[in-house]
Amino acid sequence: MFPEPAITVPAPAAWPLSEHSATPMALIARGHVLLAANPALRDWFGGAVARAWRGEQLALLDARPPRLSDAAERAFVEQRRVWLREARVRTAIGDRGADLALTPLDAQVLLLEVLPVAAEPATATRLSESLRGFAHEVRGPLAGMRGAAQLLHRRLDADERELAGLIVAEVDRLAALSGRLLHAGAKPRLALANVHEIVERVAALATAGADAPLRLRRDYDPSLPAVRVDADRLLQALLNLVRNALEAGARELVLRTRAEHAVRIGERVARLAARIDVVDDGCGVPAALADTLYEPLVSGRPDGSGLGLALAREIAREHGGDLGHASRPGSTVFSLLLPVSE
């Protein structure tokens, strides 16, 4: 049924796939030939690939050819990991969305990892409806909090008034965010901003909101130019990262900024990007959540909502950027990349 590739196809056993990984994975040979798939990938495809994969063409999976083949060839030629964002893949249950990573294992074999889209349309709709319902419910309490904080502001001394003013400012910001949730589909309101001013506000809120003493260090790159961002949305994303760190038991937090040159974000290369790192000494990302960390409603805590990281990544991507992390116990880094306008 399928033509034999004009190459020597290595034995799949030479590159064993994880049979127990929750991430769907496959091995791809030169010539874009499928070598093997792990059980998670066979399950994700709905049984369509339960038969032997050896010798079939990668192009068979691509619902938007030749994107997948082009990405695979780029990974082979450049010998580096290539991401294919928002790909459409053919399965037994119809086309499905996923982010794909193609990583060279050597000059002849790629590892294909399938990262299913966090929410299929029905799930995304339910989540959107839930968020709008939440936004509607919090508007009343927010108004009450603002009034109480304004009363306190008039009665407190100078140092305490600063904290009351911070409460008022945060209530106003949350009210604006809830208003935008109630009007789904609104685009970010972009304007040139000093990223360090936003990070400094995150630092102030982190210090004020920590339950235990927090050592906070700043490591800023003074050469970083102004960036076109929605300041409220970016602040929310960074606060989510900081709160995750505190909930993971962090006692030391580092807020770091850097200018990145010729950095790849998704499928394109940004000549200049701002990188904002939130570094903590907490317990790290649980291994069981490594494959689903940015999906909505996934949380490592029994009382967690599972929305913080999903929203942070969504905000990063709204700005044409992305969010990634590296983690081990005692050292976790979440890095938010934002392209700088030419």
Side-chain angles (χ1 to χ4, degrees):
M1 177 178 178
F2 302 100
E4 287 295 322
I7 61 170
T8 300
V9 180
W15 295 274
L17 290 172
S18 173
E19 295 294 300
H20 304 292
S21 174
T23 301
M25 295 186 290
L27 296 176
I28 313 296
R30 277 279 191 183
H32 309 167
V33 178
L34 298 163
L35 296 180
N38 71 346
L41 185 61
R42 295 195 291 270
D43 291 344
W44 191 74
F45 271 76
V49 295
R51 65 188 187 281
W53 272 47
R54 190 169 165 78
E56 295 188 8
Q57 293 292 316
L58 181 64
L60 292 174
L61 309 181
D62 194 355
R64 294 175 180 170
R67 293 184 73 211
L68 183 50
S69 295
D70 288 349
E73 187 61 24
R74 198 160 70 244
F76 274 123
V77 170
E78 299 176 11
Q79 281 296 291
R80 62 171 180 81
R81 173 176 285 190
V82 171
W83 284 94
L84 188 58
R85 301 288 187 186
E86 299 179 358
R88 297 300 297 178
V89 183
R90 292 192 177 112
T91 75
I93 55 175
D95 294 353
R96 298 186 67 182
D99 289 341
L100 306 180
L102 297 118
T103 307
L105 300 181
D106 62 19
Q108 297 297 322
V109 176
L110 297 179
L111 174 66
L112 169 67
E113 297 171 89
V114 179
L115 308 175
V117 172
E120 295 291 338
T123 304
T125 299
R126 289 195 298 272
L127 178 60
S128 179
E129 290 172 351
S130 298
L131 288 174
R132 285 199 296 273
F134 170 77
H136 183 270
E137 291 301 317
V138 301
R139 297 189 86 180
L142 285 174
M145 288 172 61
R146 191 183 197 284
Q150 286 178 314
L151 286 174
L152 286 173
H153 188 274
R154 290 197 289 267
R155 299 177 182 176
L156 298 173
D157 60 35
D159 290 339
E160 293 170 328
R161 279 202 298 271
E162 184 177 346
L163 288 175
L166 189 62
I167 294 172
V168 171
E170 278 303 286
V171 167
D172 288 344
R173 185 181 64 81
L174 291 175
L177 287 174
S178 66
R180 260 194 272 175
L181 283 174
L182 288 170
H183 300 88
K187 293 182 179 180
R189 289 176 282 192
L190 302 179
L192 282 175
N194 183 332
V195 167
H196 295 133
E197 291 180 358
I198 299 171
V199 177
E200 274 298 296
R201 189 166 174 196
V202 171
L205 291 167
T207 304
D211 294 330
L214 176 68
R215 297 185 301 276
L216 194 146
R217 294 193 294 114
R218 299 162 174 84
D219 182 2
Y220 296 162
D221 181 348
S223 71
L224 202 61
V227 183
R228 285 183 62 81
V229 296
D230 183 321
D232 284 345
R233 295 284 281 167
L234 178 58
L235 177 65
Q236 185 62 55
L238 294 174
L239 278 177
N240 288 352
L241 300 181
V242 167
R243 286 167 183 157
N244 264 27
L246 297 178
E247 288 162 0
R251 290 294 172 262
E252 180 172 287
L253 203 64
V254 180
L255 299 177
R256 182 170 60 209
T257 64
R258 290 291 185 271
E260 294 275 356
H261 297 271
V263 62
R264 181 169 289 276
I265 303 177
E267 295 180 43
R268 62 190 184 86
V269 175
R271 293 182 62 183
L272 180 62
R275 192 187 82 225
I276 307 172
D277 296 332
V278 177
V279 188
D280 72 78
D281 63 348
C283 61
V285 175
L289 298 184
D291 296 329
T292 57
L293 187 62
Y294 299 103
E295 294 184 10
L297 309 182
V298 172
S299 175
R301 297 177 295 110
D303 58 342
S305 67
L307 294 176
L309 290 178
L311 289 174
R313 185 176 69 169
E314 178 183 318
I315 291 167
R317 291 185 172 178
E318 283 177 354
H319 288 78
D322 210 347
L323 175 65
H325 76 282
S327 179
R328 59 181 172 80
S331 179
T332 298
V333 183
F334 279 90
S335 297
L336 195 154
L337 279 171
L338 299 169
V340 176
S341 299
E342 298 285 332

